[in-house]
Amino acid sequence: MDQRKHIVVVEDEPTQRQILLDYLTRQGYRVTGVDSGAGLRRLVERDLPALVLLDIGLPGEDGFTIARWLREKSGKVCIIMVTAASDTIDRVVGLETGADDYIPKPFDPRELLARVKSVLRRADGVVTTVAGPRVRMGRRVLDLEKRVLVEADGSEESLAASEFDLLRLFAENPNRPLARDWLLETVGHRDMDVFDRAIDLRITRLRRKIEKDAAHPEAIRTVRGVGYMFVPPKD
């Protein structure tokens, strides 16, 4: 059985798709190319990949719609959005759909490879500094082994790799103010010169998932001039 990480390239332009297929294959990955969301859906039903490199500007069903579907399908699949636009709006929407990273065209293949490795490494990360496999966060519980949020009734919600990474960092550092820049650097997003609100969007999304009232957060609190702090529940 092929043990290589499986990457799916969703790109409608044949030449660009083949370039990515050839390059990533040479880097030791098992790579499949599809030209549409429909092609990805069919493939995912047969073989769930480790990572999807997803072009935003697809004809018909755009990359945002596909990313939302993929994230609902599984929280384990990593998603890197590819956009030809420099507009921040695309990046905001991409992150809000649950993507783990994004890269604008044109890009250096070495930069793409670095991002692929970073996202996969974070997805494979092992938690070693938190005592116990579960940590209560707000109204839900973070299962560190299964990488999911657990409701009181036992139901589970999958997390994107980037969401899990942030919650894990908070769980490892309770009652400690964590700087925004440090959080960004630790979860692997180093290009924040072009988009420095990425961490705020992720925190907003996580608050909706764990807080009793996201408008008045108690678990992940804002520390003015610094960043954020996780406060474990007292009861």
Side-chain angles (χ1 to χ4, degrees):
M1 186 176 179
D2 196 333
Q3 297 298 314
R4 294 176 299 170
K5 293 284 189 181
H6 185 197
I7 296 176
V8 177
V9 176
V10 187
E11 166 65 63
D12 64 303
E13 205 286 306
T15 301
Q16 179 67 20
R17 184 171 67 248
Q18 192 60 50
I19 289 173
L20 292 172
L21 289 175
D22 293 343
Y23 178 73
L24 291 171
T25 298
R26 290 197 301 272
Q27 303 307 315
Y29 297 103
R30 178 165 64 95
V31 192
T32 305
V34 296
D35 62 1
S36 65
L40 177 66
R41 291 171 192 270
R42 289 192 296 269
L43 188 149
V44 166
E45 293 300 329
R46 304 191 311 268
D47 184 5
L48 196 67
L51 183 145
V52 173
L53 192 62
L54 180 59
D55 188 17
I56 290 177
L58 295 169
E61 188 178 33
D62 65 32
F64 300 130
T65 302
I66 299 167
R68 291 188 184 94
W69 170 82
L70 188 58
R71 183 54 64 225
E72 291 173 359
K73 184 76 174 177
S74 173
K76 295 181 180 179
V77 179
C78 300
I79 304 172
I80 297 180
M81 307 287 281
V82 180
T83 174
S86 59
D87 193 342
T88 301
I89 297 300
D90 276 356
R91 301 177 181 185
V92 172
V93 176
L95 290 169
E96 288 185 334
T97 63
D100 297 291
D101 203 349
Y102 56 84
I103 184 168
K105 294 179 181 178
F107 50 79
D108 187 305
R110 292 170 298 180
E111 180 186 2
L112 172 64
L113 180 62
R115 289 172 181 271
V116 166
K117 288 181 175 179
S118 176
V119 169
L120 290 174
R121 184 169 56 248
R122 287 185 280 125
D124 290 337
V126 178
V127 178
T128 58
T129 57
V130 178
R134 290 190 167 195
V135 178
R136 187 174 165 204
M137 308 189 87
R139 61 183 175 84
R140 306 179 83 175
V141 172
L142 176 65
D143 189 311
L144 296 165
E145 293 181 350
K146 298 174 71 176
R147 304 169 70 92
V148 298
L149 285 173
V150 184
E151 282 279 14
D153 62 4
S155 60
E156 299 177 352
E157 179 181 354
S158 298
L159 291 165
S162 55
E163 293 175 328
F164 174 78
D165 285 340
L166 269 179
L167 289 181
R168 181 184 63 183
L169 283 176
F170 284 125
E172 292 173 344
N173 297 276
N175 299 307
R176 280 185 57 194
L178 303 179
R180 293 170 73 254
D181 289 347
W182 181 81
L183 289 169
L184 287 166
E185 177 69 19
T186 304
V187 297
H189 294 277
R190 296 180 174 83
D191 59 344
M192 290 302 120
D193 289 343
V194 295
F195 183 41
D196 62 3
R197 281 186 50 79
I199 194 67
D200 301 318
L201 287 168
R202 294 187 189 281
I203 294 296
T204 297
R205 189 166 66 240
L206 288 174
R207 281 171 169 167
R208 295 193 193 109
K209 293 176 182 285
I210 69 171
E211 299 284 359
K212 295 178 181 178
D213 180 359
H216 301 89
E218 297 181 354
I220 300 179
R221 303 183 186 181
T222 300
V223 181
R224 289 188 179 279
V226 179
Y228 299 95
M229 179 173 66
F230 165 53
V231 180
K234 295 180 181 180
D235 55 343

